[in-house]
Amino acid sequence: MKQKGLVAGAALLTLLAIANAQLIEPSSSADLRKKAQKLNNDGNYKDALEIWQPLAVDQKNDPSLAGSDMLMAVTCLQALNRDNESDDFREKLVGIHSNNWRILYAAGQSLFGAQHYGTIIAGKFERGPHRGGGRYVNSFERDRCRALQLMEQARSLVEIASAASGADQNLKRSLASFYLEYAQMLMGYRGYQDAWRLQYLTDLSKLPDYEEGYWRGDYGGNSPRGAPVDKEANPVFHKVPKQWAASLSDGERWRWMLLQAMELDPGTSSTILTQYAEFLHHQFGVETIADYGNYFRGRDPEEEKTETGSMYQLHTLGEDETIARLATGVKRFKLPEDVNFIAIYRKLGANDRLGEIFENRRQYDKAADCWQKAGRNERVEQILGNWGQFEPVMTYSSGKEAGIDFRFRNGTKVHFTAQEINVRKLLDDVKEYLKSNPGDLNWENMDVQNIGYRLVEGNQTKYVEKQVAEWDLDLKPRIMHFDKRITIQTPLKKAGAYLLTAKM
């Protein structure tokens, strides 16, 4: 009898505990998510994690929400500095929900966006910071490959969902996002200095090993490499394969993914085409030869008659041509239709971008037209207006006429005036300032070398005295709104300092 009483008592306590749990816990997944989100917003990540994790693992969970539940759980682990648990958690979910493309997609996203470093301890990789011993490694290429494996596992399921999507626009947008994310992982920081890596076809049958050292987010750094070339030293253009399986490189896989996204959600076309055009422009724009800028300064088109000079005449480029720095050197070449970033920007009506491109190509009339269409009248005036400026001034000995370099654009006449500067008064004021023993020294009150800045920007006109010279000069501007630099002989011979003003 005593034993039965104990059993009955235990059963009663269990029932009470269950009843209390039902009273405390929300009754639906929606309520649980709402509670977890509030806990997360309040910084109670541990309590939120205890809700997100079971929700993500539950096979009865809403398939459309399971992926976001997993991402929230991983976010909590990171906030709790328990990122070393995230890999096992992801793989557990992938095993449970192997037929749910949203979970596979979310797992790939989460891994690709994770911290790509950790420590090898007793043969096992632990992600994130670690105190103590172990071998420090970076995991970017391995993580990227595993993320691609997950996305590839999801792709066949996505294709089935796509075929059955019908008129469900929300589903189509979600599927398009999947393809865009897949494309981003294929790019994997290869789009700029490391675009040569896109020529490889990542082997998804095996994972690469961990690498020594620290992984950098920019991957290849900032050192210019030049766009990759093929065996004939021609630039590499990634084509769109007819089928996914026909892809010969990650670059072709990337293009195929972008096309799928645009077909599923035409509303993303402008965004995707802009990203594609940016990639092409970065690879093949004339900006890649910026290191050769000194070659162009001060040169006149009429003087560029040599074979080399002709190649570098940017203003002669057609819109289907470019001059770019390749891995083998600078080359002028035609752009195939689907690689012509200018044509893509034209199609998108990206007049701001086109204005910059044509300015850099020294095709200023086209640039002005684009700026005008973009409503950027100040940029139009910079090209078409009459402009002039003095170049850095040298010191001349007295007794002969001083010369000064002047750079101008468009104008045909300039009027000069010269005013004397009272250097004695300037020096006396500096001495008086120093004698006053100020608590906080103002460098501008002591700077006599940068007198021009003080007169023009500081409006210290008290040092400017009578006008001592005035003259006009006829100008012969260069064609196509190019800048021209000339040396002007002034009538100034007397020793001293002068404020020279030019009006176009």
Side-chain angles (χ1 to χ4, degrees), residues 14 29 55 117 140 154 201 205 211-212 246 251 328 345 352 366 372 386 395 429 440:
T14 302
S29 296
L55 274 174
Y117 67 91
F140 176 75
L201 186 70
S205 66
E211 299 178 31
E212 300 293 333
T328 51
Y345 284 128
D352 277 288
K366 287 185 177 181
Q372 193 166 31
N386 297 338
T395 301
D429 285 352
D440 295 319

Side-chain angles (χ1 to χ4, degrees), residues 93 103 110 147 170 182 258 261 349 363 393 403 413 419 430 456:
L93 287 182
I103 278 285
S110 175
N170 289 331
Y182 202 155
L258 295 180
Q363 297 175 350
V393 181
K413 179 173 285 192
Q419 294 170 277
V430 171
V456 178

